[in-house]
Amino acid sequence: MEIKSFEDVADFCTYIQSYRRPAILKNFPVGSCLERWKDPCYLQEKLEDKVAKIHKVEKELADQMDFRTKNFQYQSLPMADLIQHVFHPRDDHQFAYYLRWVGEDPRGQSKANFHLDFPSLAQDFQLPPELFFPDERFFSSVLRISSEQIRVWTHYDVMDNMYVQIVGTKQVIMWAPHEALNMYLESDKSKVVDLNDPDLSLKFPKFSKAIQHKGTLGPGDILFIPALWFHNMKATSAGVAINVFWTNLDPDLYDKKDPYGNKDLLPAAKASRMLDNVWHQLDSLPDEYRDFYGRQLIARLENKCLTKKDVTE
């Protein structure tokens, strides 16, 4: 299923507000970054004083990065070197690189804010927030730089966000929240890493039932990612993007100690802890009985869940 695309801003905003489904706004004028950032030398000059914390992965694993098994390395790298590796890789270089800027103090409570974190580039990028969310709802804006073929693991976010592609192209695959039981989740991430050849016979048989929503992003395209929608991005060329997160629900529902904006909502996190305690109540039973009553609990939870499917348009 293709993600719906729009050329008109008003139609795009009306659609996402009415249906809360992914949508792509094509060729939006986000500023001089669309021309200036195509030049790696410009980025190197503007960012020469910055050091980035990056993911470094062997090229052969670039489209199967896995946060669970950590098949990549964390590394600190001058931004000028990162840009060189991403946009002008040597033929004999064996690694690909991915940057998700986490702010100046990733272990503290600071949140990524592109315009504050990168003042030398701030004037190049403009995304009028009034088109998409009230200014007081802003949470963070994250700079991303990707080598060609980098695929970021499938996950969901608890906030709405706009993903703005500035340089390069990406393939997008998304799944609706109601597909959760088919996604083989571990926390907010899917265990299905190899999307080219997932093990549907043994490990992930239900994954084939999950309906995919696909799209392509080019420079100036903006993807609306609603909260809880699973998404997977693959860089089909070296590129730069910025995504902007905001709190679409009551701010008190979010974990205030979460600088990245990806922790589950407080009631959901509490329910998960309570479920762990409920499960431990069965520990004293023999295996057959524990299995039986565990399945009863699963059935009760499934009956409580919404079963309405998205309407195909």
Side-chain angles (χ1 to χ4, degrees), residues 280-295:
H280 287 320
Q281 299 303 311
L282 304 178
D283 285 349
S284 61
L285 296 176
D287 289 348
E288 182 179 358
Y289 286 79
R290 187 168 64 248
D291 180 81
F292 174 77
Y293 286 111
R295 292 175 189 274

Side-chain angles (χ1 to χ4, degrees), residues 135-147:
D135 192 54
E136 65 273 12
R137 292 281 187 167
F138 171 83
F139 180 82
S140 67
S141 48
V142 182
L143 175 69
R144 300 178 187 269
I145 299 177
S146 303
S147 293

Side-chain angles (χ1 to χ4, degrees), residues 230-242:
F230 304 98
H231 48 283
N232 181 289
M233 304 278 199
K234 180 177 180 178
T236 46
S237 63
V240 182
I242 294 175

